[in-house]
Amino acid sequence: MKIKSYSLLLIILLFSGVACTDLEEVWYSAVVPETFFKTEQDVKAALYRSFTHARWYVQEDRWQLQEMTADQFAITTKGPHWYNGGENYRYHYHEWTVNDGWIWGTWRGTLMGVALALDSKQDLEKLDYSTVGLTEEDKASHVMQLQTLIAYFYLRGLDYFGGLPIFTSNEGENIPRSSDKETFDHIETLLLAAIPKLPKKVSGEKEEGALRQGAAAAMLAQLYFNAESYIGESRFSECATICQGIIDGDYGDYELDPTWFGPLGFYNNVSPEVIWSAPSEFNKLQYDWMWNRFYHYETYKYFGLDGGAWNGHHLQPSRKPTGEIYTEFKLGNPYEKFDDGDLRKKPYLYKGGGKYEGMFLVGDQISPYGTSYGTQEYKNEVISFVDMVATFKKVGDEYPDIASLPSTMADGEENTGVRLVKAPMPNLADESLRWGADNVIIRLAEVYYMLAECKLRAGEKQAAADLINDVRERNFEDGNDPNPVTAANLDEYRMLDEWGVEFLGEGRRRTDLIRWNKFVNDEWWDHEASDSQHLRRFPVPQNALSGNNALEQNPGYN
């Protein structure tokens, strides 16, 4: 994509923190779209550039801010590894600073996404599509997809930071932040205008990353769903209306997948449940960031693949070092929140031909493809991932018995924690499938759960339970759910448990906790409650403040 304006270049440099020298500038006395767009491929290249950024954006720093600050995942220090200057502790204990990298990466990535999509949108709006062999219908679809993408970046930025600088063009510099309400209204306006002009998904169509009506409608539902925490206004009724419309097919043809793995597996682009995803291409390493962070140095042997990993992330423990389940707090305990009969709770095993079972690496890491051995505390021993955090190898040396072992972020070992396999891995015989699963951003199950929560808040508990059970039943053999949701057992914590189980590791947990006022007010493993409400928003990073003196910091941050 050619950057044709000094203002856009300045925006991207400020947001990215890149220092450039020896720029070879090409100046045009008159810039028109025809200068750059000669063929259909040129148009698509401009369109796809913004979506490529979105594919990157839904991963890494954004995922970590959502999950590593909440009650389901941790990066414990394991011997000499993963202290990382205390960064992992700061996020877990809610002690982040204006200089922490994940926050800067998220601010930068959010506004860069806006700038890229806005630049392409403005160019394509000016282009006569007939000159490149495309139609006015193509133009409307492309322009409104980019408008929806702009709304998406603003929606995520509002969630992380509150009000953002609102760009309606890429001209101008040092734009101040708009208020939370102004940002909310801007997102709403963008989506309301885009929805009727986007195409609807037709039953049987593959999901390959294009934004359709269903995706834009779901984003609007998300905006209303979290309006109370964004702007202090309850908009649950509006959210419920949109969700019901999506389920009824008003915005395109979507259905719950009959299997739990359908929306997640190697061929999830054909799942009727997927509303919007970031496409992956086989062998293009779309999930290598998750591979590196979650898996042990020798997990590749268990998978029957090649290439080691970094042994960092894992589920927070459900059990004390003695093996007892934590009962002191209602949040957390992610692995034990899955019923024992849940098909997803099985250890992950690739079965061949693109089929697999289970979603976790837990217990002895022995599979038909190989055995993973320890390289640190458990050197030459079979690695057995445990749902506990403690330095068991220090019993008899530094600690007299297991009961005396502490369990904190500082007390991990190389086998600490259950590992999640949300994106399936094949073995070497089927290596062509590796990284083949698309990264799902919105799926119909989320719409069911949003509607269920709206009904719960409206006092319609049985209707809420029925919606959740419609999704739950596929997770059990022959649909025999041993612990269905009922009007009697559904409360705010059961609702959060259902969100946590169905969407474990899908980059949303912090938002759900904030919506229920649990993010700072409740406790979970090695995390104490506080009354520091400003922590519901991240600070504007120092790099951004230094680059734009019109920006104001969020309250509560020095």
Side-chain angles (χ1 to χ4, degrees), residues 50 112-122 146 149-150 153:
S50 299
M112 187 181 293
V114 171
L116 289 168
L118 182 57
D119 186 61
S120 294
K121 176 176 179 285
Q122 292 179 332
L146 288 166
L149 198 57
I150 292 167
F153 285 120

Side-chain angles (χ1 to χ4, degrees), residues 311-365:
N311 198 32
H313 299 48
H314 55 80
L315 268 64
Q316 289 182 26
S318 302
R319 296 177 181 272
K320 302 175 183 180
T322 55
E324 303 166 89
I325 294 178
Y326 285 105
T327 58
E328 297 90 327
F329 35 77
K330 294 183 177 180
L331 296 176
N333 292 6
Y335 183 67
E336 286 302 328
K337 290 290 172 67
F338 285 78
D339 292 290
D340 288 342
D342 194 319
L343 297 171
R344 298 168 296 182
K345 200 175 184 180
K346 292 182 179 181
Y348 175 83
L349 181 63
Y350 183 67
K351 310 285 280 188
K355 299 178 180 179
Y356 63 98
E357 66 181 21
M359 205 168 69
F360 299 100
L361 300 182
V362 61
D364 290 349
Q365 294 302 283

Side-chain angles (χ1 to χ4, degrees), residues 99-121:
N99 293 308
D100 276 316
W102 296 349
I103 296 171
W104 167 234
T106 298
W107 175 275
R108 175 174 60 95
T110 299
L111 293 182
M112 187 181 293
V114 171
L116 289 168
L118 182 57
D119 186 61
S120 294
K121 176 176 179 285

